């Protein structure tokens, strides 16, 4: 007998993805990806409950993927910092001394359709040293509520994500109605861009697993998922936002360098030319840093 929160796999998909049970309506079970941003429905007889041993085996694999992405980001962060110091010259110190400059990373608003994923993402933002305001909203609520949140928080980066999926039975991959939540993401982006049209002043990431990438970009997202309609990992949007946040506003972002840090890669992420949002200030002092 299944209950909400149980971990399961689908027999018809050869147990490829780990899901948690979101809700049950008779024999129809609503599922949410445990590590990926996929929402699906499945009949009860297609599901197999996951044992503790199997869960830990899968979790170990995911942990390794996440650790690899984190190492890639830290490596890129060091390179970005070395580049800033080299370009700044002696006025900003060198790698052998305490920095004589301070950094002002952008504010991030992360809106998520999954409260568990939101918590995980917030922890990663904090681990990466970024200021973030996290907000849980169901995907269908996002278009109506997103603009008020942007006006309240005044972020420089907005992440709009949650769960999504494409269904062949609903139509072709070109049709927005073939997707579970893409239209809500698209409407949210469009509503923001009507008031904040400048791509380099407010940077938007939008989408989840298998989302309608082209519609999201057309609506005004700088970065979006999913060009190849593949699944994306829960924390992939964080690495996109972090790369933007730690790239200087005088530099254009290398799109490939952004998406290579993500677990899903170029099949799951894409974007358009965008400037970074990090600002450098001088002189540096610990007292000034604390006041900032």
């Amino acid at each position: 007998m299944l209950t909400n929160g149980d971990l399961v796999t689908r027999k018809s998909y050869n147990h490829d993805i780990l899901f948690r049970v979101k809700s049950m309506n008779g024999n129809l079970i609503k599922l949410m990806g445990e590590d990926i941003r996929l929402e699906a429905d499945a009949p009860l007889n297609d599901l197999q409950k996951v044992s503790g041993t199997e869960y830990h085996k899968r979790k170990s694999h995911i942990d390794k993927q996440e650790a690899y992405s984190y190492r890639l980001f830290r490596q890129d962060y060091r390179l970005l910092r070395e580049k800033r110091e080299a370009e700044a010259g002696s006025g900003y110190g060198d790698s052998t001394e305490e920095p004589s400059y301070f950094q002002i990373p952008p504010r991030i608003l992360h809106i998520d359709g999954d409260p568990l994923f939101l918590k995980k993402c917030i922890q990663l933002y904090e681990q990466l040293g970024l200021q973030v305001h996290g907000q849980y909203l169901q995907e269908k609520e996002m278009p109506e509520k997103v603009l008020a949140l942007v006006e309240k928080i005044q972020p420089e980066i907005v992440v709009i994500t949650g769960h999504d999926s494409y269904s062949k039975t609903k139509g072709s991959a070109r049709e927005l109605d073939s997707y579970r939540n893409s239209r809500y993401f698209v409407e949210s982006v469009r509503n923001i861009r009507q008031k904040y049209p400048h791509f380099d002043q407010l940077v938007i990431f939008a989408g989840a697993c298998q989302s309608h990438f082209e519609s999201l970009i057309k609506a005004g997202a700088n970065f979006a998922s999913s060009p190849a309609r593949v699944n994306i990992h829960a924390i992939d949007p964080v690495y996109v936002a972090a790369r933007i946040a730690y790239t200087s506003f005088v530099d254009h972002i290398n799109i490939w360098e952004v998406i290579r840090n993500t677990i899903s890669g170029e099949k799951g992420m894409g974007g358009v030319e965008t400037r970074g949002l990090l600002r450098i200030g001088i002189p540096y002092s610990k007292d000034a840093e604390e006041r900032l």
Side-chain angles (χ1 to χ4, degrees), residues 140-252:
K140 63 183 178 182
E141 298 179 293
M142 293 178 181
E144 180 184 351
K145 296 183 177 181
V146 66
L147 191 55
L149 279 169
V150 171
E151 291 174 344
K152 177 182 178 182
I153 306 302
Q154 292 291 302
E156 288 84 33
I157 299 174
V158 179
V159 174
I160 304 168
T161 187
H163 291 280
D164 206 357
S165 61
Y166 162 64
S167 175
K168 291 181 180 179
T169 61
K170 293 182 180 179
S172 74
R174 296 180 180 179
E175 300 174 69
L176 198 56
D177 289 341
S178 303
Y179 298 80
R180 189 179 295 264
N181 289 318
S182 286
R183 65 183 179 277
Y184 301 127
F185 298 141
V186 169
E187 290 171 15
S188 299
V189 173
R190 189 178 294 121
N191 289 345
I192 294 172
R193 282 294 177 222
Q194 286 177 353
K195 185 159 187 179
Y196 300 92
H198 199 302
F199 273 52
D200 292 325
Q201 289 180 348
L202 183 62
V203 175
I204 301 174
F205 169 91
C209 283
Q210 304 176 14
S211 291
H212 198 298
F213 171 77
E214 296 80 10
S215 289
L216 290 166
I217 294 296
K218 187 176 180 180
N222 300 70
F223 293 88
S225 61
S226 165
R229 305 304 191 262
V230 300
N231 298 325
I232 70 168
H233 191 277
I235 61 173
D236 278 347
V238 176
Y239 285 117
V240 174
R243 178 67 192 216
I244 299 162
Y246 280 125
T247 299
S248 171
F249 84 102
V250 301
D251 293 331
H252 279 94

Side-chain angles (χ1 to χ4, degrees), residues 15-292:
H15 309 282
D16 59 341
I17 295 172
L18 184 65
F19 290 94
R20 66 179 180 272
V21 175
K22 177 70 179 294
S23 64
M24 296 179 286
N25 184 10
N27 286 325
L28 187 64
I29 313 299
K30 178 176 282 189
L31 305 171
M32 300 292 186
E34 176 67 8
D35 300 294
I36 62 172
R37 293 184 172 278
L38 181 67
E39 183 175 347
D41 297 319
L44 179 61
N45 60 11
D46 189 38
L47 301 178
Q48 179 173 308
K49 200 168 180 178
V50 173
S51 68
T53 302
E54 176 65 17
Y55 168 72
H56 288 298
K57 180 180 177 182
R58 289 174 179 260
K59 187 176 185 302
S60 176
H61 175 67
I62 292 296
D63 288 346
K64 289 178 181 177
Q65 287 183 316
E66 292 179 1
Y68 178 68
S69 288
Y70 183 75
R71 286 197 302 271
L72 274 182
F73 180 84
R74 298 303 301 180
Q75 178 182 338
D76 280 358
Y77 175 79
R78 286 193 295 270
L79 291 173
L80 286 170
R81 181 167 182 165
E82 289 170 6
K83 180 176 182 288
R84 290 195 298 273
E85 291 173 350
E87 290 178 346
S90 59
Y92 285 90
D94 58 47
S95 59
T96 64
E97 301 174 349
E98 287 294 321
S100 59
Y101 63 90
F102 58 88
Q103 299 182 150
I104 304 179
R107 291 182 300 277
I108 300 170
L109 171 61
H110 182 113
I111 302 171
D112 209 310
D114 187 308
L116 297 180
F117 284 173
L118 175 61
K119 182 178 179 181
K120 187 172 186 176
C121 288
I122 294 299
Q123 290 173 344
L124 183 55
Y125 283 118
E126 292 174 349
Q127 189 178 353
L128 294 171
L130 292 169
Q131 180 183 354
V132 61
H133 177 93
Q135 180 67 50
Y136 163 64
L137 289 177
Q138 293 182 29
E139 289 83 357
K140 63 183 178 182
E141 298 179 293
M142 293 178 181
E144 180 184 351
K145 296 183 177 181
V146 66
L147 191 55
L149 279 169
V150 171
E151 291 174 344
K152 177 182 178 182
I153 306 302
Q154 292 291 302
E156 288 84 33
I157 299 174
V158 179
V159 174
I160 304 168
T161 187
H163 291 280
D164 206 357
S165 61
Y166 162 64
S167 175
K168 291 181 180 179
T169 61
K170 293 182 180 179
S172 74
R174 296 180 180 179
E175 300 174 69
L176 198 56
D177 289 341
S178 303
Y179 298 80
R180 189 179 295 264
N181 289 318
S182 286
R183 65 183 179 277
Y184 301 127
F185 298 141
V186 169
E187 290 171 15
S188 299
V189 173
R190 189 178 294 121
N191 289 345
I192 294 172
R193 282 294 177 222
Q194 286 177 353
K195 185 159 187 179
Y196 300 92
H198 199 302
F199 273 52
D200 292 325
Q201 289 180 348
L202 183 62
V203 175
I204 301 174
F205 169 91
C209 283
Q210 304 176 14
S211 291
H212 198 298
F213 171 77
E214 296 80 10
S215 289
L216 290 166
I217 294 296
K218 187 176 180 180
N222 300 70
F223 293 88
S225 61
S226 165
R229 305 304 191 262
V230 300
N231 298 325
I232 70 168
H233 191 277
I235 61 173
D236 278 347
V238 176
Y239 285 117
V240 174
R243 178 67 192 216
I244 299 162
Y246 280 125
T247 299
S248 171
F249 84 102
V250 301
D251 293 331
H252 279 94
I253 292 165
N254 183 310
I255 298 173
W256 166 245
E257 288 180 355
V258 173
I259 61 179
R260 75 172 184 174
N261 288 337
T262 65
I263 294 171
S264 57
E266 72 272 17
K267 290 185 178 180
M269 298 282 172
V272 299
E273 287 184 318
T274 301
R275 287 190 180 276
L277 290 170
L278 181 72
R279 291 183 180 269
I280 299 298
I282 55 172
Y284 168 81
S285 73
K286 288 185 178 181
D287 290 341
E289 185 179 50
E290 289 173 1
R291 289 195 297 270
L292 288 169

